[in-house]
Amino acid sequence: KSLPADLVETLLREGIEAKPGGRTQPLTVMFTDLAGFTGLSEAEPERVVGFLGDHLDSVSRIVHAHAWTVDKFIGDSVMAFWNAPTALPDHALAACKAALACRDAFRRSAQAAPNLALRIGINSGDPLVGNIGSSTRLNYTAIGDAVNVASRLEGLNKRYGTDILIGEATARAAGDAVIVRRVDRVAVYGRRGGQTVYELIGLSAARETLGDLSWISVYDAGFERYLQRD
């Protein structure tokens, strides 16, 4: 229970030794966070353990079903990534599908905690992935710019009133399989030029269930005027 058996078995199967080391490779990284959880833990501490356990179970099951690696739980947050240790060519799309499934599952359970919201950030890049830590305590994880941006995208949901934000590399890799809305272009700490941020609306295969999406093109036309200072 302290370390997922599936992950251990995969590391052994891939020949990854239990010693510090890693390599740079393409990944898609996802961070989730429960907005309002701190208030719940202060107001109703007796509910926290059970509710949080159910939530983390739900996220873990969904990520696992979409070719997962759940990296760690950070309080009420979850970090997961795709394409390591097992290769997954369409890792960006798999992460988007998992995020949408997590959002739908949370909405179905929202009656239990109406003051909470689930926020998700996803980004793709080439971080360092492997056994990070000391000689006595290791964690199979990913570190680097792509991971940091994914975490910051999760936090940006509060600014834009969104549930799921994805980076431009993820949007580009997922392509026409997802429906997105261009939200903004933001500065990224330590990087020149900034990055375009997208809201993940849904899957193209489920377009008929998403209602009238004409507002997205109207918004995008307005955003183009804004970029032109018109």
Side-chain angles (χ1 to χ4, degrees):
K1 290 185 178 181
S2 297
L3 192 64
D6 289 347
L7 176 57
V8 175
E9 292 170 359
T10 303
L11 293 175
L12 290 172
R13 186 170 61 249
E14 298 290 332
I16 299 173
E17 297 183 57
K19 63 180 182 181
R23 63 177 182 175
T24 300
Q25 69 177 79
L27 286 184
T28 297
V29 185
M30 180 179 83
F31 280 86
T32 76
D33 184 66
L34 282 178
F37 183 76
T38 299
L40 176 66
S41 63
E42 293 174 352
E44 303 179 69
E46 67 283 352
R47 294 184 57 197
V48 167
V49 174
F51 179 84
L52 185 57
D54 291 342
H55 170 67
L56 296 178
D57 275 344
S58 174
V59 172
S60 297
R61 285 195 302 270
I62 291 169
V63 172
H64 185 278
H66 290 84
W68 71 306
T69 295
V70 171
D71 182 299
K72 60 176 69 75
F73 298 145
I74 312 167
D76 58 292
S77 302
V78 177
M79 174 184 171
F81 53 82
W82 283 258
N83 201 38
T86 302
L88 183 67
D90 57 347
H91 50 90
L93 178 57
C96 290
K97 289 180 177 179
L100 291 167
C102 286
R103 183 185 67 181
D104 292 344
F106 181 80
R107 286 177 174 176
R108 289 193 295 269
S109 66
Q111 293 180 348
N115 295 323
L116 297 183
L118 180 64
R119 296 172 181 158
I120 300 174
I122 302 173
N123 190 50
S124 302
D126 297 279
L128 178 70
V129 60
N131 289 314
I132 311 298
S134 68
S135 58
T136 58
R137 185 180 294 270
L138 296 173
N139 181 25
Y140 187 79
T141 188
I143 58 175
D145 179 67
V147 179
N148 297 337
V149 171
S151 177
R152 291 176 180 135
L153 289 176
E154 178 276 307
L156 275 178
N157 281 290
K158 181 178 181 180
R159 180 182 184 91
Y160 297 113
T162 50
D163 298 320
I164 307 172
L165 287 178
I166 66 176
E168 58 184 286
T170 302
R172 184 167 56 250
D176 293 337
V178 296
I179 298 171
V180 298
R181 171 178 69 108
R182 182 174 52 160
V183 173
D184 206 348
R185 187 160 182 84
V186 300
V188 178
Y189 179 78
R191 181 193 296 178
R192 294 181 179 180
Q195 175 173 169
T196 303
V197 176
Y198 297 87
E199 179 187 12
L200 179 60
I201 304 295
L203 299 175
S204 296
R207 178 181 289 270
E208 66 278 2
T209 68
L210 300 175
D212 182 8
L213 298 176
S214 61
W215 64 273
I216 296 177
S217 59
V218 175
Y219 179 93
D220 199 66
F223 189 78
E224 275 297 326
R225 295 288 186 93
Y226 160 72
L227 291 178
Q228 297 166 15
R229 299 186 178 185
D230 182 356

